[in-house]
Amino acid sequence: MSGTKAEIPWYNQRPGRGLQMRSSAHVTEDGSHDRVYAGRTTVAMTVKERIETLAKPKLSRSTLSYGPSLSWGNQQTMWQLSNAAKNTEPSERILLLAQPKRNLSTQEDLKPQWEYSCGRQSPIIQTSGAARKAVNSERIDQLAQPKNHHRNYTENRPMYEFSCGRSSPVEGPAQTAKTAAERERTNQLAQPKKVHPEHQASREVQTIPSQAARNTRPTERLEQLAEAKKRPDGPFREPEWPVCKKAMKAQSTERTRELARSKGLVEGFQGNRNVMWNVSKSAKQAVATRRVEELSVPIQRESMDHVQFNPDVFKVSETAKKAKCSARIEELAQPISRK
């Protein structure tokens, strides 16, 4: 049995044509299978051993150790130093690099941080005694003079001058306006607006009834309308009462029977189909055709583990490059023209 080929079990089958041609399987005496890939033979195992191997949980990589255990923040070295490294003498270059960086914060000539602050391009430093006692030159005195206004310059008016939608400035009256004589038209416009002669003021919510209204007497009709509605205490008619013989012997007219007839359905109407229905006997005994069986077979595609090693997997064939599309495909490929 060791030299004969047998059917490969499902757990040793791998998709892909290229690797299937280079692989083979042999059955050993104990029922296990040896799998050969390009000259390499995997470990033989039975079905039970394979299931036990797959059932084992995956090891956590956090428990694995890839180097020495370190505690950061101390002066302990990662690896233990040898005696030769401890007794060696450093070179001049190493001694030069080992010198600490100079601390500039202790220098006396260090200028404070606010020297170039506030976007200034010149430093803010104290003036020397010679600069305080120096005499200004004629040019410095000329540059120190403030800029004079133009001869046609007028001072800006206050902000409230054109406020509140006013188109004229709020300013004091001129002296000529104060001494001007009154006009008849000006006095007429200065009068406040008078109330309309037929105007009536708003009436108060609470009014005082007049003496005539207090001494008047209602009419008989008013007294009748003012009386409360009389509601009898009973006895009332029972909810069930006997029907008279005439009502029981009455027959409906033809018009009443026509109106009482329910509205019928349209000719050819089909009701809603039930969600669950019985399968017909012919459907149960039907046999699928060869074409249906061929279409029901799932497509077997190679896994990406094997496709990534195929350099020609995405290569376009020569026939596909020389193919010509049909007129219908060209028509469908045209973009939609929108106005």
Side-chain angles (χ1 to χ4, degrees), residues 167-210:
S167 58
S168 58
V170 183
E171 54 187 4
Q175 190 66 27
T176 54
K178 294 179 181 180
T179 57
E182 297 180 358
R183 297 184 305 164
E184 184 180 357
R185 178 59 179 167
T186 305
N187 293 334
Q188 182 182 357
L189 294 175
Q191 295 294 330
K193 190 175 181 181
K194 297 180 181 181
V195 183
H196 196 272
E198 298 180 0
H199 171 73
Q200 295 182 0
S202 299
R203 188 178 180 181
E204 296 181 0
V205 178
Q206 297 179 355
T207 57
I208 300 174
S210 60

Side-chain angles (χ1 to χ4, degrees), residues 23-65:
S23 63
S24 60
H26 301 279
V27 182
T28 58
E29 295 180 357
D30 56 351
S32 61
H33 299 268
D34 288 346
R35 195 71 175 155
V36 181
Y37 290 98
R40 289 187 307 172
T41 306
T42 59
V43 179
M45 59 176 63
T46 60
V47 178
K48 185 177 180 181
E49 292 176 352
R50 178 61 176 170
I51 294 175
E52 290 178 355
T53 304
L54 295 175
K56 291 181 180 179
K58 190 176 181 181
L59 295 177
S60 177
R61 295 185 179 272
S62 60
T63 59
L64 300 179
S65 177

Side-chain angles (χ1 to χ4, degrees), residues 252-264:
S252 58
T253 61
E254 185 178 357
R255 176 60 179 168
T256 305
R257 290 194 296 271
E258 181 182 355
L259 294 174
R261 190 181 300 111
S262 59
K263 188 176 181 180

Side-chain angles (χ1 to χ4, degrees), residues 13-148:
Q13 292 182 1
R14 295 197 178 185
R17 294 183 178 178
L19 294 180
Q20 285 183 2
M21 296 177 63
R22 296 183 297 167
S23 63
S24 60
H26 301 279
V27 182
T28 58
E29 295 180 357
D30 56 351
S32 61
H33 299 268
D34 288 346
R35 195 71 175 155
V36 181
Y37 290 98
R40 289 187 307 172
T41 306
T42 59
V43 179
M45 59 176 63
T46 60
V47 178
K48 185 177 180 181
E49 292 176 352
R50 178 61 176 170
I51 294 175
E52 290 178 355
T53 304
L54 295 175
K56 291 181 180 179
K58 190 176 181 181
L59 295 177
S60 177
R61 295 185 179 272
S62 60
T63 59
L64 300 179
S65 177
Y66 297 99
S69 59
L70 303 175
S71 58
W72 301 95
N74 53 16
Q75 301 296 328
Q76 184 181 359
T77 58
M78 295 179 61
W79 310 99
Q80 189 175 3
L81 298 177
S82 61
N83 293 329
K86 294 179 181 179
N87 298 329
T88 187
E89 294 184 0
S91 61
E92 270 187 42
R93 177 59 178 168
I94 293 178
L95 293 175
L96 178 62
L97 295 174
Q99 294 295 329
K101 193 175 181 180
R102 187 177 60 174
N103 188 6
L104 300 177
S105 61
T106 59
Q107 301 296 327
E108 297 180 356
D109 57 344
L110 181 65
K111 297 179 181 179
Q113 296 182 1
W114 44 264
E115 186 173 354
Y116 291 94
S117 61
C118 300
R120 294 180 62 89
Q121 297 180 357
S122 58
I124 305 174
I125 57 178
Q126 296 180 359
T127 54
S128 61
R132 295 177 182 177
K133 298 177 181 179
V135 180
N136 299 335
S137 62
E138 186 178 354
R139 177 58 178 167
I140 293 177
D141 291 339
Q142 181 182 358
L143 294 174
Q145 294 296 329
K147 188 176 180 180
N148 298 326

